[in-house]
Amino acid sequence: MRIARYTEGDDPVYGLVDADGKKIAEVTGDPLYQRIELTGRTTTVDEVRLLAPVIPRSKIIGIGRNYADHAAEMGNDVPEEPMMFLVPNTAVVGPDDPVVIPTALTSEVHYEGELAVIIGRMCKDVEPEEAKKVIFGYTIANDVSARDLQRGDGQWARAKGMDTFCPLGPWIETDLDPQDVSIVTRLDGEVAQDGHSSDMVHGVAALISHASKSFTLLPGDVILTGTPAGVGLVDPGQRVEIDIDAIGTLANPFVASE
C-alpha cells in the first residue's frame, strides 16, 4: 500500500496511491495514528501537490557510514556499531520543494540518496527479529550534507540539519522488502549513485534495534539508513532525483538562499 500526503490548496490530506503512481483515493484521518477509511473522492497525482509523507513529531535518526564503499570514498573506516546522528524535523521538505543552500554558511553541499524507514508504534529495546512489527513503511530521503560544516564543526548537527536539508517522499510504501532494493541518484539526469540496500553494513532490523536501545522510538520517527558511494557536489540550479525500487522517485531542485 502506498500512502501519500498532499494538498490541493487547502489543508493536507492523506490518500492511497495506485500501483501506477498516478491516481490517489482520499482517506480520512492520519494513518499513523488512526483507522483510515476511503472518502470516495479520487484525484490524480498531477493535480495535487505532494507533501513530505511524514513530518516527524519527535525525531529523525540518521545513520552514517553504513555502506563500506561510501565510507571508503570519504576516507573513513566503517564503524563497528551504527553511527547515529539526529536531524530536526524542521529540515523536512517534500517532493519538488526547493532545497535552499545557505551560501553565506556553506559552499560544499552534497546529495545523499537513501532508503528511509518510518516507525509505526512506540517501542524500546527492540530485538532485531521483532523489528518488522514496529515498521510502518518506507520512503525515500535525500540526506543533504554541508561537507565544509561537517569538517569544521567536528559533528554533524548543523551540516545535516539545516532547513530544507531532509527531503522525504514521494509517499510511504508499506509493503516493501528492504533487503535488496536499488538506490539510484541522478544529478541533472546523469546517474551519480547506483547502489543496493543489500550492501548496507547494518540492515534495517539491526538499525532499528540499535537505535531503540538508546532512544524510545515513536510513531512517525524516521530512520535514514545511509547512502551508497557516489555522493558529490550539488550547486544552486541543479536538480537531484532519487529512485528506489517499488517506491518511486523523489526529486528536488537546489536553489541559493537570497
Side-chain angles (χ1 to χ4, degrees):
M1 181 169 61
R2 290 175 172 176
I3 302 173
R5 180 171 166 266
Y6 63 96
T7 180
E8 295 180 90
D10 299 317
D11 294 333
V13 296
Y14 290 89
L16 305 183
V17 181
D18 69 1
D20 294 328
K22 295 181 179 180
K23 295 183 179 179
I24 305 177
E26 185 182 87
V27 298
T28 58
D30 184 334
L32 269 165
Y33 301 95
Q34 302 163 326
R35 180 183 177 87
I36 59 174
E37 295 182 0
L38 292 168
T39 66
R41 188 173 187 278
T42 62
T43 186
T44 66
V45 170
D46 291 340
E47 293 176 309
V48 303
R49 178 190 170 201
L50 290 176
L51 306 173
V54 60
I55 301 292
R57 299 182 185 181
S58 175
K59 55 191 169 294
I60 303 162
I61 301 170
I63 305 296
R65 305 176 191 171
N66 198 31
Y67 286 77
D69 55 0
H70 170 58
E73 74 176 347
M74 301 301 292
N76 297 311
D77 295 328
V78 175
E80 291 185 10
E81 293 187 336
M83 178 183 291
M84 297 188 293
F85 57 92
L86 296 178
V87 177
N89 60 9
T90 48
V92 173
V93 291
D96 292 315
D97 286 338
V99 176
V100 181
I101 299 175
T103 52
L105 298 176
T106 177
S107 60
E108 191 181 350
V109 171
H110 282 198
Y111 54 81
E112 291 190 7
E114 307 197 7
L115 176 68
V117 184
I118 300 166
I119 300 299
R121 64 178 178 86
M122 185 170 68
C123 56
K124 175 71 174 171
D125 295 326
V126 179
E127 295 300 327
E129 58 270 18
E130 299 295 317
K132 188 175 181 179
K133 296 179 181 179
V134 308
I135 297 172
F136 182 77
Y138 300 84
T139 193
I140 304 171
N142 191 345
D143 179 24
V144 180
S145 305
R147 298 295 185 206
D148 44 2
L149 299 184
Q150 198 172 357
R151 290 191 302 269
D153 290 353
Q155 48 85 21
W156 300 0
R158 186 165 64 137
K160 290 176 174 283
M162 287 191 284
D163 291 352
T164 75
F165 269 31
C166 189
L168 297 175
W171 39 63
I172 299 168
E173 174 58 69
T174 61
D175 302 316
L176 178 73
D177 182 352
Q179 300 301 315
D180 187 19
V181 295
S182 69
I183 303 169
V184 177
T185 302
R186 293 179 174 85
L187 179 64
D188 289 340
E190 297 294 324
V191 173
Q193 292 180 283
D194 189 356
H196 287 80
S197 61
S198 56
D199 292 327
M200 288 182 190
V201 177
H202 307 283
V204 167
L207 295 178
I208 291 173
S209 178
H210 184 75
S212 72
K213 288 177 168 55
S214 296
F215 313 112
T216 297
L217 301 180
L218 301 178
D221 281 356
V222 175
I223 299 177
L224 311 178
T225 60
T227 195
V231 302
L233 189 68
V234 54
D235 292 317
Q238 294 190 291
R239 182 177 179 86
V240 176
E241 299 178 351
I242 305 165
D243 297 320
I244 293 185
D245 284 351
I247 298 180
T249 302
L250 171 66
N252 297 90
F254 282 64
V255 302
S257 59
E258 297 181 357

